Amino acid sequence: MMEQIQEMTAMITKADIAMKAATWEIGRLRDDVAMLRKAMMELAYTAEENGLYLSNLTKATQDVIVAMRLGGFK
């Protein structure tokens, strides 16, 4: 019985460590996405100000910029 409790405690400890690592990674990814979103918006604005319009970009890039302007990717 005591051995089972020790095994369960070890598993819970490992799960706790994994959850903390995942939480940290998710936070880091959120920060990265926020920085990339800001950079993309600045690049889109600068491109349009200099005569490079959405129609000159790939469809995938157009879709990302439009989605961001409509409040997506949050």
Side-chain angles (χ1 to χ4, degrees):
M1 180 68 162
M2 193 61 153
E3 186 177 317
Q4 288 178 331
I5 292 173
Q6 289 173 342
E7 288 175 8
M8 291 172 69
T9 302
M11 289 187 332
I12 290 169
T13 301
K14 286 181 182 180
D16 182 51
I17 291 169
M19 287 174 49
K20 286 179 182 175
T23 300
W24 177 82
E25 184 68 25
I26 289 168
R28 208 178 105 225
L29 289 171
R30 281 185 182 147
D31 294 343
D32 290 349
V33 167
M35 289 183 350
L36 289 169
R37 183 184 307 117
K38 181 180 177 187
M40 181 64 106
M41 291 302 285
E42 289 176 2
L43 287 169
Y45 174 78
T46 302
E48 287 185 357
E49 289 295 312
N50 289 295
L52 179 67
Y53 299 100
L54 284 179
S55 59
N56 297 62
L57 304 173
T58 66
K59 176 76 169 115
T61 302
Q62 290 176 25
D63 292 345
V64 169
I65 292 170
V66 169
M68 286 173 48
R69 288 183 177 165
L70 293 174
F73 300 104
K74 289 187 178 181

